[in-house]
């Protein structure tokens, strides 16, 4: 399975870690495996600051405050569009506030890598069709899958700064 990552850095407050692209690829591969999807896939990840993610959150969700990550799935009804250039399923777009991820890593006393991997994995499951707006069983399933993916990658909550 080939994973295509389209990474963009649209902020200048936090340096993008060297491991970012490889980690995103690993998280994507593992999330797809969790869902028993073995097709080539592509995902776009954009890093922004708190101001920009607040603007996007207001524009697309009607919530005028910063958040940590936004997910924009491609396709509908659980189906995926396919890129005709590489035959990969297009999962969608992820936008992460590196500034917020850094703040949260400090707040939760774990590494920036752990926080970034969590946000990417969380967003990937949104792109794969999961939601947790109303809580309930779907939220439990989604969060359990996220934790399995991160554990499989050896990225644990205990990983310190």
């Amino acid at each position: 399975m080939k994973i295509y990552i389209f990474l963009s850095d649209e902020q200048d407050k936090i340096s993008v870690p060297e491991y970012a692209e490889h980690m995103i690829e690993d998280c994507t591969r593992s999330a797809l495996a969790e869902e028993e999807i073995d097709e080539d896939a592509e995902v776009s990840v954009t890093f922004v600051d708190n101001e920009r993610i607040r603007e996007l959150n207001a524009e697309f969700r009607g919530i005028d405050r910063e958040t940590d990550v936004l997910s924009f799935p491609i396709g509908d009804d659980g189906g995926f569009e396919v890129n005709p250039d590489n035959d990969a399923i297009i999962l969608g777009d992820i936008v992460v506030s590196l500034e917020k991820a850094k703040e949260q890593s400090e707040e939760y006393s774990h590494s920036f890598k752990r926080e970034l991997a969590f946000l990417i994995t969380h967003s990937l499951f949104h792109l794969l069709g999961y939601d947790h707006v109303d809580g309930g069983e779907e939220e439990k399933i989604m969060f359990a899958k996220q934790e399995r993916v991160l554990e499989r990658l050896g990225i644990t909550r205990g990983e310190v700064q």
Side-chain angles (χ1 to χ4, degrees), residues 72-142:
F72 299 95
I74 303 292
D76 45 76
D77 297 329
F80 298 105
E81 291 184 19
V82 175
N83 183 334
D85 294 332
N86 58 19
D87 291 326
I89 59 173
I90 305 170
L91 300 177
D93 301 314
I94 297 171
V95 180
V96 177
S97 169
L98 285 185
E99 198 175 0
K100 190 72 166 170
K102 182 70 170 163
E103 291 169 11
Q104 290 177 173
S105 72
E106 292 167 359
E107 178 182 339
Y108 300 134
S109 299
H110 57 232
S111 72
F112 182 60
K113 181 178 182 180
R114 160 58 173 151
E115 186 64 21
L116 196 52
F118 170 81
L119 294 174
I120 293 294
T121 302
H122 179 83
S123 196
L124 284 164
F125 279 103
H126 280 305
L127 298 182
L128 292 167
Y130 289 87
D131 201 350
H132 57 82
V133 172
D134 298 324
E137 193 61 29
E138 188 172 9
E139 179 179 46
K140 290 178 190 172
I141 293 167
M142 179 181 176

Side-chain angles (χ1 to χ4, degrees), residues 4 10 17 21-22 36 41 46 64 78 83 92 97 102 109 153-154:
Y4 299 90
E10 297 181 5
E21 188 168 357
H22 183 70
E36 299 180 354
T46 304
D64 190 13
N83 183 334
S97 169
K102 182 70 170 163
S109 299
L153 296 173

Side-chain angles (χ1 to χ4, degrees), residues 7-45:
L7 188 58
S8 177
D9 182 18
E10 297 181 5
Q11 56 83 53
D12 59 6
K13 296 189 173 150
I14 304 225
S15 296
V16 175
E18 289 183 22
Y19 58 76
E21 188 168 357
H22 183 70
M23 184 203 63
I24 294 165
E25 182 178 342
D26 287 347
C27 290
T28 305
R29 188 179 311 282
S30 189
L32 290 170
E34 183 70 26
E35 292 298 291
E36 299 180 354
I37 298 172
D38 63 355
E39 299 177 60
D40 292 350
E42 65 180 53
V43 64
S44 170
V45 177

